Amino acid sequence: MGIPLHLYLPIAGNSVNILAILGLGGGVGLLSGIFGVGGGFLMTPLLIMMGIPATVAAASDSNQIVGASTSGTLAHFRLGNVDFRMGMLLLIGGVVGGTGGVQIIKVLRQLGNADFLINVTYVLMLGIIGSYMFFESLQSMRKVKSSGPAASKEKESLYARLMQSLPWQMEFKRSGVRLSLLMPLILGVLVGILAAIMGVGGGFIMVPVMVYLLRMPMHVVVGTSLFQILFTCINVTIMQAWENHTVDFILALLLLIGSSIGAQVGAKVGKKLHGDQLKILLASLVLVVMVKMLYQLLARPDTLLAYVGGH
Amino acid sequence: MKKSRLFAASLIFLLASAPAIAQDSVQMTVTPGLLHIGTFYDGTSLHVEGTVPAESQVVLRFVGASCELHMRERGKVLGVMWMNLDSLIFRGVPSVCLVSSALAFDKLAGSGGPEQQEDFKSLELSGIQAEAQVESNGLDRRVAFEEFLKLKRGEGLYREMVGNVAYGPASNGRKTFEADIPIPSRLTPGAYQVELAAISQGKIIARTQQPVTVDLVGFPALLSRLAFDHAALYGVLATVIAILAGLAIGMVFQSKGAH
């Protein structure tokens, strides 16, 4: 008798190939560990392609991100890459923003065509963030090659002066920055609103915000982002299980075995890469997802029907 | 007067007893009658066998309970982008419909007239449309149903299989048949039916059906009960186990790194 390769998922109402799910989890976990993004924007569509209902795919993915980000946060904590103070402030802002975002999306749905706004926001955010990160990292890598580190401090920007003028300045030792506690709180609220509207954890928006607006070093950004994602996904998992019965724990467990291992390997790979290399790789990934989404918006779908609750 | 009364009574008796005669002329056994979905369930097959009139062809249907499906129509916004637009509802559609026959439907038609062919064509997947109700604000009812069939076929829940019904030799005006119906892995617990229709000259001459129950057993049953009956506890447990698993894997990597 051979080893069974399939498992039946009672909540998804389908059976899956164990190795395929482990491999999918491992691949996305690797990216999560390297870049500090939850990977929901990659994992959920891939699960749907494997026959998992969209609502179950999204909720179970949140459940597995809890495990993967625990493992990733632990790995980054050991490497000294988690700024707990910054993470907590971003988290508080994120929860407030997320709650507001849910109300905004309710109003938009009543007005009609909310899906249109969500999709366009998605493509625009991914396009802007991906392009900016890509070209900025490219420029930065060229600068390092041509003139060394001295050229980087050319001008004190208006933004930097504004940051310094804000009240309640505090030291974030792990990140090596000093700024007002209002900054992470306000940015957390903004990312929370966007994440709620777009229905994602917000990792891929939060990472560029930490890098460019909070001026945190890339390695600390990754660990801190995972720490924040952990709490966001705990909340989503419990709420989805309670309200919608859409968390398939067996699916989540398989994914997280793969993704936790992937996240550990990712954290080690990320440590070997230069900050600009990390940024340019993440930018490429974000741009690929943007192109895929744009294609889905422009190309005629296979069927003119979609289940309610699908993406 | 007496004669006409006798004729009318005989006619009523014949009409009333016709379905019973039709049902008796076909026999069917379905095994197993109870399908268990356990931890390693990955689809299965139902074995169907029986006897039918020698001149007839068999059409078998594995049909799920009639359900109501809420969907969104996909259309173009600003003439460029495809989006989910109006809601539409399908009522009276089976959750699963797997049709099996020895020959393709166009070859089953024989020399039957248009009315008779309408009759047996109701067994095809496209025949579901007659029973179904489509509530749509935008999309044409016919187009909506075609798209619905396309979606269900893509999921493997609606399927027409040709050639999986085999016949034995005919004797005394009857012949045996047997078929294996592949049941998809994407199956939910509930009550299903295997329906048999015997067709001759494009007309359904006899029908019968047998129930098949699909049940969750073992770990999937336990998990399903927990998820639906104790949802909050299930959510907390799923989170705690995920955290512990993440920590455990983290520890394993730490110990490996130490050596």
Side-chain angles (χ1 to χ4, degrees):
Chain A
M1 200 178 129
I3 302 165
L5 283 178
H6 287 85
L7 269 185
Y8 182 78
L9 308 173
I11 312 300
N14 202 353
S15 79
V16 288
N17 184 297
I18 299 168
L19 295 180
I21 297 292
L22 285 175
L24 177 63
V28 177
L30 186 75
L31 297 174
S32 169
I34 296 175
F35 303 120
V37 292
F41 67 104
L42 287 172
M43 187 84 91
T44 305
L46 290 170
L47 285 173
I48 295 168
M49 278 169 63
M50 292 172 89
I52 307 295
T55 47
V56 178
S60 308
D61 187 29
S62 287
N63 191 187
Q64 78 82 22
I65 293 173
V66 170
S69 51
T70 301
S71 166
T73 305
L74 189 68
H76 281 280
F77 172 69
R78 285 200 203 106
L79 297 168
N81 289 342
V82 182
D83 189 332
F84 288 104
R85 183 181 278 188
M86 185 74 85
M88 284 308 292
L89 287 170
L90 286 166
L91 184 63
I92 294 166
V95 169
V96 173
T99 311
V102 169
Q103 297 308 316
I104 290 172
I105 206 73
K106 266 188 188 169
V107 174
L108 285 173
R109 284 200 194 282
Q110 279 163 5
L111 294 173
N113 251 345
D115 286 344
F116 177 72
L117 185 88
I118 291 167
N119 281 295
V120 171
T121 309
Y122 229 117
V123 170
L124 284 177
M125 287 302 297
L126 288 169
I128 293 167
I129 291 170
S131 309
Y132 183 80
M133 279 183 84
F134 189 87
F135 289 111
E136 192 271 344
S137 317
L138 205 63
Q139 220 168 22
S140 172
M141 282 165 84
R142 279 182 187 153
K143 259 184 200 169
V144 170
K145 272 187 187 168
S146 60
S147 56
S152 62
K153 204 176 177 180
E154 282 171 357
K155 56 182 179 187
E156 189 75 356
S157 69
L158 182 68
Y159 175 73
R161 273 183 278 151
L162 181 75
M163 273 182 42
Q164 283 163 9
S165 67
L166 287 170
W168 301 311
Q169 294 281 326
M170 65 195 297
E171 198 74 41
F172 293 90
K173 279 185 189 162
R174 194 65 79 179
S175 301
V177 292
R178 183 178 168 76
L179 44 86
S180 165
L181 67 87
L182 288 176
M183 281 302 293
L185 276 177
I186 292 169
L187 291 171
V189 169
L190 292 176
V191 173
I193 291 173
L194 277 174
I197 289 176
M198 293 158 71
V200 292
F204 74 96
I205 312 174
M206 189 60 92
V207 169
V209 161
M210 287 179 180
V211 173
Y212 296 111
L213 299 180
L214 298 176
R215 308 279 165 93
M216 291 164 65
M218 187 65 190
H219 290 105
V220 181
V221 163
V222 175
T224 310
S225 168
L226 283 172
F227 167 73
Q228 191 237 349
I229 285 167
L230 168 63
F231 288 93
T232 311
C233 287
I234 286 175
N235 179 42
V236 172
T237 302
I238 295 176
M239 291 312 290
Q240 290 280 23
W242 193 9
E243 303 265 334
N244 301 325
H245 312 286
T246 45
V247 175
D248 196 308
F249 177 64
I250 298 183
L251 174 63
L253 196 63
L254 282 177
L255 286 171
L256 93 84
I257 290 170
S259 65
S260 299
I261 296 169
Q264 291 286 338
V265 177
K268 289 195 164 94
V269 172
K271 190 76 180 170
K272 285 179 186 160
L273 291 170
H274 189 265
D276 286 325
Q277 290 172 324
L278 272 178
K279 277 192 264 179
I280 211 160
L281 283 173
L282 178 59
S284 308
L285 184 68
V286 168
L287 286 173
V288 166
V289 176
M290 189 274 285
V291 170
K292 182 186 160 282
M293 283 209 67
L294 196 60
Y295 175 77
Q296 278 178 336
L297 287 176
L298 299 177
R300 193 182 197 279
D302 290 339
T303 60
L304 297 180
L305 294 176
Y307 285 104
V308 172
H311 283 249
Chain B
M1 187 73 181
K2 211 174 183 181
K3 253 186 177 177
S4 64
R5 269 189 197 163
L6 192 67
F7 175 74
S10 312
L11 191 67
I12 289 166
F13 172 76
L14 276 174
L15 284 174
S17 58
I21 290 166
Q23 197 162 342
D24 287 347
S25 66
V26 290
Q27 284 176 340
M28 173 175 70
T29 315
V30 181
T31 46
L34 179 62
L35 286 179
H36 291 305
I37 297 183
T39 308
F40 302 113
Y41 173 81
D42 181 35
T44 183
S45 73
L46 281 178
H47 184 74
V48 186
E49 59 183 25
T51 57
V52 289
E55 78 285 1
S56 65
Q57 289 285 332
V58 168
V59 174
L60 293 168
R61 301 202 321 164
F62 176 77
V63 187
S66 178
C67 60
E68 182 176 301
L69 289 173
H70 292 249
M71 297 201 163
R72 299 288 294 273
E73 174 197 334
R74 306 195 77 182
K76 273 191 171 178
V77 173
L78 305 175
V80 190
M81 289 185 240
W82 290 91
M83 294 282 165
N84 289 348
L85 301 174
D86 291 329
S87 300
L88 48 113
I89 305 168
F90 290 86
R91 290 196 179 89
V93 286
S95 58
V96 179
C97 188
L98 310 171
V99 186
S100 303
S101 57
L103 298 171
F105 268 81
D106 52 352
K107 288 180 182 154
L108 291 175
S111 58
E115 276 181 25
Q116 290 172 334
Q117 293 201 10
E118 277 297 306
D119 191 24
F120 94 87
K121 276 185 174 291
S122 66
L123 300 169
E124 284 182 292
L125 286 180
S126 55
I128 294 169
Q129 192 175 0
E131 303 283 314
Q133 289 178 320
V134 185
E135 201 177 285
S136 165
N137 290 329
L139 209 57
D140 174 66
R141 190 178 177 275
R142 189 185 54 79
V143 177
F145 189 77
E146 279 170 12
E147 292 297 324
F148 173 77
L149 281 187
K150 212 188 285 180
L151 185 78
K152 284 290 197 179
R153 277 196 178 109
E155 291 174 346
L157 296 176
Y158 280 25
R159 198 172 159 196
E160 281 171 354
M161 292 162 280
V162 176
N164 65 331
V165 178
Y167 298 106
S171 73
N172 297 329
R174 300 187 65 76
K175 66 181 177 186
T176 58
F177 75 90
E178 62 175 345
D180 286 307
I181 305 175
I183 306 297
S185 60
R186 193 176 188 150
L187 198 69
T188 48
Y192 295 80
Q193 295 267 8
V194 175
E195 300 171 350
L196 179 152
I199 294 167
S200 179
Q201 301 296 318
K203 186 181 186 316
I204 300 174
I205 56 164
R207 280 175 187 267
T208 189
Q209 59 188 37
Q210 274 205 19
V212 173
T213 306
V214 177
D215 211 4
L216 282 179
V217 292
F219 189 59
L222 178 80
L223 208 66
S224 179
R225 273 199 300 275
L226 194 60
F228 288 97
D229 301 341
H230 309 280
L233 175 68
Y234 174 80
V236 172
L237 276 177
T239 307
V240 170
I241 295 172
I243 291 172
L244 292 177
L247 284 173
I249 290 169
M251 299 293 181
V252 169
F253 269 77
Q254 184 188 32
S255 61
K256 273 190 178 176
H259 291 287

